[in-house]
Amino acid sequence: MAKRKNFAIGIDLGGTNMRIALVSREGQLIRKIKEPTSGEILDILLKSVNELFSDDIAGICIGIAGLIDRQHGKILISPNLHAVETIDFLAVFEKKFGVPVFLENDANTAAFGEKWVGIGKNFSNFVLLTLGTGIGGGIVYGKKLLRVSSEIGHMSIDMTGEKCPCGNSGCLETYASARALLSKAISLLESGRESLLTEYCGGTFYKLTAEDINRAALDGDNLSRELLKETGRYLGIGIANVINIMSPEAIILSGGLIGAWDIYIQEAIKEASRRSLKELFDMVRIVPSSLLDNAGIIGSAGLAFQLLDEGER
Ligand SMILES: [Zn+2]
């Protein structure tokens, strides 16, 4: 019988950064490489994996922001990362490294990470939301990751709303994501609204980040506070819908926007309490991710171990 290998490589391929990590069978992050997602993405990934690779690697799993065809191991669409849609990751990586390779949605791998060694360990059923440029979702039910596409960011919350990169209009993420927050801020600043933000970016509005808006809000900037609250209320609508549909024990929030917990998330929680069934809201805990940026890489590696143990490849 072949020796049981002790490590896996987890990859988190996001629109801004890609992370590649060596993770032990116990869920310990041994080494991590972080690179910006630009240029020759595939070459950078292959080189990074090569640096971490050894004959004690059981498999590789790539988490990517997009819709995955799990049966054929293909990316169907990745609205924020079109450049990688045509890459046949499974074939390329299996040929180069000779170990099983898996593909999964990045919010699902983050949910797996939290379930395995993060705050999700405390719950049998939870929904994880990634709050960044877009909004992703992952569902753990009965302590198992549901390997389905949980496109929570694309639930319709407005019949006549703005166009979304997915093709629909009025999606949750066109109102509640970092991209939504920034585009609203920029259009108000361009219309002449006064704000500390103008100072922060020296008048070059497109350079603003969601962190800038949070910092300005904490410094007492009215425009930033209003925007964070409004964006948070939209998120609260999405959370209320998730609570009413799934009645999870917890909702775990991750992604860059959780840095704005005191305004954006608190407003979302208030709105969710108003809009969900009281009995269900009273049972749910809304908590931040405990693995933060590392949830995706740890979860990818963990999922590789699980799928191999289940004999998937
Ligand atoms: Zn959409």
Side-chain angles (χ1 to χ4, degrees):
M1 192 180 150
K3 178 177 166 280
R4 198 167 183 252
K5 297 183 175 177
N6 293 309
F7 300 94
I9 290 179
I11 298 177
D12 185 0
L13 181 47
T16 312
N17 291 302
M18 41 194 180
R19 301 176 177 84
I20 306 96
L22 180 66
V23 178
S24 75
R25 199 173 270 279
E26 290 72 43
Q28 202 188 352
L29 178 58
I30 310 290
R31 219 187 121 195
K32 171 166 96 166
I33 297 172
K34 183 176 168 184
E35 298 277 358
T37 308
S38 61
E40 299 299 317
I41 295 171
L42 182 60
D43 288 347
I44 299 169
L45 281 177
L46 288 168
K47 187 173 158 277
S48 305
V49 171
N50 200 43
E51 263 181 58
L52 303 178
F53 203 77
S54 73
D55 58 7
D56 208 7
I57 300 291
I60 300 170
C61 178
I62 305 166
I64 176 162
L67 271 186
I68 307 294
D69 171 357
R70 291 172 185 81
Q71 203 183 343
H72 303 101
K74 297 255 162 42
I75 300 166
L76 294 172
I77 180 175
S78 179
N80 298 319
L81 250 179
H82 284 303
V84 303
E85 283 170 350
T86 52
I87 300 175
D88 189 347
F89 284 101
L90 262 50
V92 173
F93 278 75
E94 286 187 351
K95 182 159 182 267
K96 179 153 169 71
F97 298 104
V99 296
V101 181
F102 305 96
L103 209 56
E104 187 46 83
N105 169 271
D106 63 343
N108 281 4
T109 56
F112 192 97
E114 294 291 343
K115 167 191 95 81
W116 189 27
V117 290
I119 193 165
K121 275 204 298 192
N122 305 319
F123 309 107
S124 294
N125 310 315
F126 69 83
V127 176
L128 174 132
L129 296 180
T130 59
L131 308 169
T133 310
I135 293 181
I139 301 170
V140 167
Y141 193 80
K143 296 245 171 212
K144 293 216 40 129
L145 171 72
L146 297 188
R147 288 192 80 203
V148 296
S149 299
S150 327
E151 294 295 339
I152 291 170
H154 299 287
M155 70 166 75
S156 295
I157 60 165
D158 185 339
M159 192 161 79
T160 57
E162 283 169 47
K163 198 92 186 137
C164 176
C166 77
N168 185 24
S169 59
C171 292
L172 175 65
E173 77 171 39
T174 65
Y175 292 92
S177 64
R179 190 200 281 129
L181 178 70
L182 281 167
S183 79
K184 203 165 277 178
I186 291 170
S187 83
L188 287 171
L189 292 167
E190 282 175 344
S191 75
R193 276 284 301 267
E194 273 185 33
S195 163
L196 281 178
L197 293 171
T198 309
E199 234 173 83
Y200 281 14
C201 65
T204 315
F205 300 141
Y206 74 88
K207 284 191 176 159
L208 284 170
T209 63
E211 292 79 54
D212 290 332
I213 297 177
N214 188 43
R215 189 156 58 93
L218 295 174
D219 280 349
D221 183 57
N222 283 333
L223 178 78
S224 300
R225 282 190 77 84
E226 273 169 39
L227 282 173
L228 278 172
K229 283 190 166 184
E230 187 187 71
T231 312
R233 281 200 292 281
Y234 280 114
L235 175 65
I237 295 176
I239 290 178
N241 291 340
V242 169
I243 292 173
N244 283 349
I245 295 168
M246 300 284 307
S247 60
E249 287 166 55
I251 292 181
I252 300 176
L253 301 177
S254 68
L257 276 180
I258 67 169
W261 194 275
D262 290 346
I263 307 173
Y264 165 77
I265 302 290
Q266 287 302 341
E267 202 64 28
I269 294 173
K270 257 193 257 169
E271 191 67 23
S273 81
R274 281 194 280 265
R275 287 179 182 267
S276 52
L277 296 176
K278 187 183 179 304
E279 291 72 12
L280 297 182
F281 183 82
D282 288 345
M283 289 191 291
V284 74
R285 289 190 52 205
I286 300 175
V287 294
S289 147
S290 63
L291 302 177
L292 303 173
D293 268 2
N294 294 330
I297 36 178
I298 294 176
S300 288
L303 187 59
F305 283 125
Q306 181 188 297
L307 294 173
L308 287 167
D309 288 348
E310 287 172 350
E312 179 136 335
R313 200 71 61 76

